Amino acid sequence: MKISDIIEQFIIDIIGEGEVADISRNELASYFRCAPSQINYVLQTRFTLDRGFQVESQRGGGGYIRIERLAIDKNPYLYSLLETLSEPISYTRLLQIAECLVENGIMLPEEGALLTRMTSDKALATPSNNSDSIRSNILKETIIHLIKR
Amino acid sequence: MKISDIIEQFIIDIIGEGEVADISRNELASYFRCAPSQINYVLQTRFTLDRGFQVESQRGGGGYIRIERLAIDKNPYLYSLLETLSEPISYTRLLQIAECLVENGIMLPEEGALLTRMTSDKALATPSNNSDSIRSNILKETIIHLIKR
DNA sequence: TAATTAAGGTCAAAGATAGTCAAAAAGGAT
DNA sequence: ATCCTTTTTGACTATCTTTGACCTTAATTA
């Protein structure tokens, strides 16, 4: 398992049922024998706003990093999401959003799984820009999804 | 015997009674003293959807290739559907299929609704052929769908 | 208050995997 | 023998992770 995944799990365990974890970057880094900036990498790739986390920190003596799980209020959240969607969106980001939607009971787990499956790079790859072909690919992915469960 | 056949057998043996094999491309290649891309060749020619396999992978540190066997025998209807999907498919047809899937309890009604929403002409319309943009549109439709229910 | 110490942040390079594509090689069929 | 197909290889590319040098900020101390 990757060190980043281990650190991610460690932080999630700290948060536990609560909603906040306070950590010391250097302590964590030395505990896991990695570069301190590795912690930043984990925070930047895993504890994103898309996944419903917020990170704040303080430098200097007595500094800290606080990771907070945000309470999601359905409609405001959805509307703010909508606003970001005039931009293209990477699969990685979509994955985090879908996870967040499911975690917060906005989607059924089945729907989240469907969503991620239908929008995988594989599902959306097309040479020509043909809606029917894209849709066909998406359906194909959907069926694989159904087969597998 | 060809090295490709040997590698194929090796992977099938790993899967065994289970349904998934996780391999490292470089390890496997060096074990069989072949070019790493030989592994891709084997996957592309032997572990195809037609034969009931699905392959996914991750690059970078801690990367892997996962080969999964799908239960063909338990899902004759879905597999026959799959076979028709090398062709483009109209929205009207998709609608009928989705309805059928829901009627027969293969999908939840929520999933059927999601599927049709995500593959509407509106969701799939794009000027440039960019997966991210398409995906963004699909997500947008999904969210509207969630807001409205 | 200035200097020192103790945090944390940034960014780019290095490392670790996997993917693609086309050329070369090997087999096969006629 | 020649042509066609399949297999094998390797150069180049893409992506994700890990590390380290250098920068910024806050608290403490001289």
Side-chain angles (χ1 to χ4, degrees):
Chain A
M1 205 182 189
K2 279 170 296 197
I3 187 71
S4 283
D5 289 339
I6 295 172
I7 294 172
E8 174 187 5
Q9 196 51 55
F10 185 84
I11 294 173
I12 285 177
D13 286 348
I14 292 178
I15 300 178
E17 290 300 300
E19 50 193 37
V20 62
D22 282 312
I23 63 170
S24 146
R25 190 179 81 139
N26 288 343
E27 255 181 42
L28 249 198
S30 91
Y31 180 70
F32 287 111
R33 290 142 200 257
C34 64
S37 53
Q38 177 96 52
I39 308 300
N40 296 86
Y41 176 74
V42 172
L43 295 174
Q44 279 156 31
T45 55
R46 272 89 166 162
F47 293 89
T48 61
L49 204 50
D50 287 329
R51 257 176 113 196
F53 290 102
Q54 203 190 2
V55 176
E56 50 189 289
S57 63
Q58 179 94 70
R59 305 186 193 194
Y64 61 88
I65 297 178
R66 166 166 301 168
I67 300 113
E68 204 175 343
R69 191 179 357 235
L70 300 174
I72 300 295
D73 195 3
K74 184 178 168 183
N75 279 0
Y77 174 69
L78 292 174
Y79 274 101
S80 71
L81 249 185
L82 256 191
E83 276 166 23
T84 72
L85 290 176
S86 48
E87 291 293 302
I89 174 174
S90 72
Y91 182 60
T92 306
R93 255 202 83 199
L94 180 135
L95 229 46
Q96 300 195 341
I97 292 170
E99 187 190 331
C100 185
L101 289 169
V102 171
E103 290 274 312
N104 287 283
I106 295 174
M107 284 181 109
L108 296 174
E110 289 86 351
E111 292 171 301
L114 195 62
L115 171 62
T116 58
R117 174 66 70 161
M118 288 172 73
T119 53
S120 68
D121 281 323
K122 207 172 157 195
L124 298 179
T126 61
S128 65
N129 185 30
N130 181 326
S131 288
D132 282 9
S133 300
I134 298 170
R135 177 155 50 239
S136 178
N137 278 326
I138 291 182
L139 223 206
K140 194 185 288 188
E141 292 292 317
T142 304
I143 287 171
I144 292 170
H145 170 258
L146 294 171
I147 287 175
K148 286 173 63 175
R149 76 173 178 210
Chain B
M1 205 182 189
K2 279 168 297 195
I3 187 71
S4 283
D5 291 336
I6 296 172
I7 294 171
E8 174 186 8
Q9 197 50 54
F10 185 85
I11 293 173
I12 286 176
D13 287 347
I14 293 178
I15 300 178
E17 289 300 300
E19 50 194 34
V20 61
D22 281 313
I23 64 170
S24 147
R25 190 181 80 140
N26 288 345
E27 254 181 43
L28 210 52
S30 92
Y31 181 71
F32 287 110
R33 289 141 203 263
C34 63
S37 53
Q38 176 96 50
I39 308 299
N40 297 86
Y41 177 73
V42 172
L43 295 175
Q44 279 155 31
T45 55
R46 271 90 167 160
F47 294 88
T48 60
L49 199 51
D50 287 346
R51 300 195 188 181
F53 291 99
Q54 215 213 342
V55 177
E56 54 187 289
S57 65
Q58 176 100 63
R59 305 185 194 194
Y64 61 87
I65 298 178
R66 167 167 302 167
I67 301 113
E68 225 171 323
R69 178 167 35 214
L70 306 176
I72 303 184
D73 37 324
K74 291 178 192 159
N75 301 279
Y77 171 65
L78 292 175
Y79 263 93
S80 70
L81 250 184
L82 256 191
E83 276 165 22
T84 71
L85 290 176
S86 48
E87 291 295 302
I89 171 174
S90 72
Y91 184 60
T92 309
R93 240 204 100 201
L94 180 136
L95 233 44
Q96 296 175 344
I97 292 172
E99 189 188 332
C100 177
L101 290 170
V102 171
E103 292 279 312
N104 289 95
I106 295 175
M107 286 181 108
L108 296 173
E110 288 87 349
E111 293 172 299
L114 197 61
L115 171 62
T116 57
R117 174 67 70 155
M118 288 171 73
T119 53
S120 69
D121 281 323
K122 199 175 164 195
L124 298 178
T126 61
S128 65
N129 186 32
N130 180 327
S131 290
D132 282 7
S133 302
I134 299 171
R135 176 154 51 236
S136 181
N137 279 326
I138 291 181
L139 223 203
K140 193 182 291 187
E141 290 295 316
T142 304
I143 288 170
I144 292 170
H145 172 254
L146 293 171
I147 288 174
K148 287 172 64 172
R149 78 173 178 206

